[in-house]
């Protein structure tokens, strides 16, 4: 899927992911390196977020999601904008994404490349069952990645 098709498909959902003030406040905290209310993303979950962010918006002739700090922004959102129940659900969904990657790709998501990564992304983008926790979590994560990317200062000012 190219970047333009991805953006068209998720723009409406991403626009509703957060209130604009919350997105800006989260970026302010990321850029200032201020302490967060906990770090909800254990290393394995953080690696899943990074792998998905990079797969969705890789560096091309413009900065990618990792270049602008989207995983840091997502961590602030998860820590400070989601209530405990929402956070627990989202974290369980990240675990389900990781399990699906091993099942479909044969290895942990952060290590997948090429055809193996494409199989996992296809399973998440065009699933047979949209109610699976991995699929629901991926939809939410994709919205967060896109929203975080386009609300970042780098993208707004330089891209």
């Amino acid at each position: 899927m190219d970047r333009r098709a991805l953006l068209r498909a998720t723009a409406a959902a991403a626009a509703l992911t957060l209130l604009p003030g919350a997105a800006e406040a989260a970026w302010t905290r990321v850029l200032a390196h201020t302490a967060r209310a906990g770090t909800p993303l254990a290393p394995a979950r953080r690696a899943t977020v990074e792998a998905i962010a990079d797969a969705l918006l890789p560096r091309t002739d413009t900065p990618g999601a990792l270049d602008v700090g989207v995983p840091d922004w997502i961590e602030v959102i998860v820590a400070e904008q989601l209530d405990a129940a929402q956070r627990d659900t989202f974290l369980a969904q990240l675990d389900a994404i990781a399990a699906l990657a091993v099942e479909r790709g044969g290895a942990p998501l952060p290590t997948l490349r090429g055809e193996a990564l494409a199989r996992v992304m296809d399973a998440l983008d065009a699933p047979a069952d949209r109610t699976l926790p991995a699929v629901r979590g991926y939809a939410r994560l994709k919205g967060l990645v896109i929203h975080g990317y386009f609300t970042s200062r780098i993208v707004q000012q330089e891209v």
Side-chain angles (χ1 to χ4, degrees):
M1 174 178 278
D2 67 20
R3 190 179 298 220
R4 184 167 285 151
L6 170 69
L7 297 176
R8 262 190 303 235
T10 59
L16 298 174
T17 304
L18 302 167
L19 297 174
E24 185 176 338
W27 275 117
T28 299
R29 304 216 0 117
V30 168
L31 295 173
H33 302 290
T34 56
R36 296 176 182 95
T39 53
L41 299 180
R45 290 175 176 150
R46 170 79 183 213
T48 296
V49 168
E50 290 172 351
I52 294 290
D54 191 46
L56 291 171
L57 293 167
R59 178 185 302 147
T60 58
D61 56 335
T62 59
L66 299 182
D67 298 318
V68 302
V70 168
D72 293 331
W73 181 84
I74 290 172
E75 187 139 18
V76 171
I77 294 300
V78 172
E80 299 180 3
Q81 299 297 318
L82 301 182
D83 65 34
Q86 292 170 325
R87 188 176 311 111
D88 290 346
T89 298
F90 183 67
L91 296 177
Q93 291 168 338
L94 288 178
D95 294 342
I97 292 169
L100 184 137
V102 171
E103 175 189 319
R104 297 286 175 98
L109 185 61
T111 65
L112 297 178
R113 302 287 180 269
E115 183 58 36
L117 178 59
R119 273 194 312 275
V120 172
M121 296 302 288
D122 287 346
L124 293 167
D125 268 322
D129 182 356
R130 295 203 176 274
T131 65
L132 296 174
V135 174
R136 294 174 66 90
Y138 173 73
R140 186 172 205 178
L141 180 56
K142 182 166 48 170
L144 286 169
V145 168
I146 292 168
H147 193 88
Y149 183 79
F150 283 101
T151 58
S152 72
R153 244 181 235 157
I154 292 171
V155 171
Q156 289 183 6
Q157 293 175 357
E158 297 176 20
V159 176

